[in-house]
Amino acid sequence: MFSLSRKDLAALAVFAAIVLAMPLWLSPLGAAYPGLMQKFAIYAIFAIGFNILFGLTGYLSFGHAAFLGGGSYTTVWSFKLLTMDIMPAMVFAVIVSGLFALLIGYFSLRRTGIYFSILTLAFAQMSYSLAYSVLTPITNGETGLLLARNDPRFLDAIIGAQASVAGLPQPTLLGSSVSGYSGFYLCAAVLILAFYISQKIFASPFGMALRGIKSNQTRMNYTGFNTRPYMLAAFVISGMFAGLAGALLSITDPLAGAERMKWTESGNVVLMTILGGVGTLFGPVIGAWLIKYFENIFSAINTNMLNSALSFLPDGVQNVVVTVLSKFVGEGWHLTLGLMFVLIVVFLPGGLVEGFHRLVARLKRPKGAPEGVAAVQPAE
């Protein structure tokens, strides 16, 4: 039940090596910070879960931020009421997000296409409004839900955990701190597990049924196959992944705010999945890493940095080049991201993963051979 094919096992091993070696290969890119690497891992989990719905069934949800925020709020409440240990918080976040997704999916999946997308967006915006203003006793409104020294934490009070800690208590895993690099490797381990679960879903009969729904749902219904339970299950699983990502956000930074439920968060995960490659295993992860890198590193480039990097150019040319490039970095990084998104959608509809596969196929093709003809290995 837990085994993988040789190909999937090799992919998992490569993926695990890449994730665990992040501090090494991100260092030359200026992104080897524990907090940023945690975001890379967390949003990759978010994108992997979204891809199970969008990539396999073709149902585009614009409301997954609701489950991300729900997981965050549940985690902080677990810290406030029960214990600062992260295990109960993560379990409750996944369960609550799954139930929330079941409720929203039950109504949203009564419609297809753009109507489904609009329904999920409407539910997410209602959730954001509730968290921001109506449910302030639960969410603390625009201030956000924060930890306090006098929170009851009943389980910690029983066992005397963190009683001697000065200041605000910090999340722990079986008594060990999960801050800094420890927090990153926690997120990395969860990401590898999420990738493994995604592999199992993709290769399972359940995953094949979801692909059939994406290919031709009407035909499957005509054959007597009830597609609705499968779609609802995919929606719930996807929401649980989002809740897990929300839990990790609140574990690495113990607060929860309504901004995590905004429609922009739902839009970001859509961009991540499309940029990397919808329906692929690695694509959503690559897209998440790329967008988070742009958001945190590329956006930090300013005019002074450009002048320093281009100081070898003649003064007149340097001023022109810096003036042009400054529109695409710093606060204008969204312009670069938008242009890249347009180019990928137009020329690589399958995302960056498709581009990589095309490149590999071209390198393997014999010189002068038409496209689609791969190299033939001689018989031994």
Side-chain angles (χ1 to χ4, degrees):
M1 183 176 69
F2 298 103
S3 62
L4 293 171
S5 66
R6 183 174 298 179
K7 180 180 178 181
D8 284 344
L9 190 60
L12 179 63
V14 170
F15 180 76
I18 292 172
V19 171
L20 295 176
M22 267 189 182
L24 298 178
W25 60 266
L26 282 178
S27 183
L29 300 175
Y33 305 107
L36 181 55
M37 292 189 295
Q38 289 167 6
K39 287 185 178 181
F40 281 177
I42 291 169
Y43 280 92
I45 295 169
F46 190 19
I48 286 173
F50 180 79
N51 189 49
I52 292 174
L53 176 68
F54 183 37
L56 289 181
T57 70
Y59 275 67
L60 176 57
S61 168
F62 284 125
H64 262 51
F67 314 128
L68 184 77
S72 292
Y73 281 118
T74 303
T75 298
V76 176
W77 272 114
S78 176
F79 289 157
K80 292 173 74 68
L81 296 179
L82 298 176
T83 173
M84 290 302 298
D85 192 272
I86 67 172
M87 292 305 295
M90 293 173 68
V91 171
F92 284 129
V94 171
I95 292 174
V96 171
S97 297
L99 294 175
F100 194 21
L102 180 64
L103 176 64
I104 292 179
Y106 178 79
F107 293 102
S108 299
L109 287 168
R110 294 176 178 272
R111 294 293 179 264
T112 60
I114 189 63
Y115 303 105
F116 167 80
S117 301
I118 294 301
L119 276 173
T120 56
L121 176 61
F123 277 117
Q125 283 301 99
M126 284 191 291
S127 301
Y128 169 73
S129 298
L130 288 171
Y132 192 80
S133 58
V134 179
L135 298 179
T136 50
I138 299 175
T139 63
N140 204 28
E142 61 179 329
T143 305
L145 191 62
L146 306 170
L147 296 178
R149 180 67 182 169
N150 59 349
D151 288 332
R153 278 184 284 276
F154 297 110
L155 293 181
D156 281 352
I158 292 174
I159 62 177
Q162 302 214 18
S164 59
V165 175
L168 288 177
Q170 296 298 315
T172 59
L173 175 60
L174 302 177
S176 300
S177 172
V178 290
S179 61
Y181 281 100
S182 299
F184 160 67
Y185 282 109
L186 166 70
C187 296
V190 177
L191 171 57
I192 294 169
L193 176 62
F195 186 83
Y196 166 76
I197 295 173
S198 177
Q199 284 183 304
K200 293 296 293 181
I201 291 174
F202 269 63
S204 67
F206 173 71
M208 294 298 293
L210 296 181
R211 285 192 180 92
I213 292 171
K214 181 178 181 179
S215 176
N216 197 322
Q217 183 178 352
T218 303
R219 182 177 295 175
M220 292 187 70
N221 286 328
Y222 282 159
T223 61
F225 190 90
N226 187 3
T227 60
R228 183 172 171 79
Y230 286 84
M231 293 186 298
L232 184 57
F235 193 91
V236 171
I237 293 171
S238 185
M240 293 170 76
F241 270 80
L244 178 60
L248 290 173
L249 283 175
S250 290
I251 287 170
T252 55
D253 185 13
L255 59 86
E259 70 278 356
R260 289 178 182 169
M261 288 183 163
K262 289 185 70 172
W263 66 271
T264 50
E265 286 293 328
S266 297
N268 279 337
V269 76
V270 175
L271 289 177
M272 292 171 185
T273 309
I274 293 176
L275 281 176
V278 178
T280 64
L281 286 168
F282 289 98
V285 177
I286 295 172
W289 290 350
L290 190 64
I291 288 182
K292 284 301 162 183
Y293 181 82
F294 269 75
E295 181 182 317
N296 292 275
I297 301 299
F298 196 77
S299 63
I301 299 176
N302 55 39
T303 304
N304 291 333
M305 297 172 67
L306 289 175
N307 279 316
S308 176
L310 300 174
S311 58
F312 62 91
L313 295 175
D315 290 342
V317 177
Q318 178 183 347
N319 291 336
V320 173
V321 174
V322 169
T323 301
V324 173
L325 292 181
S326 63
K327 307 301 181 183
F328 294 86
V329 298
E331 294 182 358
W333 73 271
H334 284 98
L335 180 58
T336 303
L337 182 63
L339 289 174
M340 183 174 62
F341 182 74
V342 170
L343 291 174
I344 288 176
V345 169
V346 172
F347 297 104
L348 294 174
L352 294 173
V353 170
E354 179 188 315
F356 175 76
H357 288 158
R358 284 187 185 181
L359 178 62
V360 171
R362 179 167 295 183
L363 294 175
K364 288 183 177 180
R365 192 170 66 243
K367 288 185 178 180
E371 288 194 20
V373 178
V376 178
Q377 297 294 333
E380 294 183 359

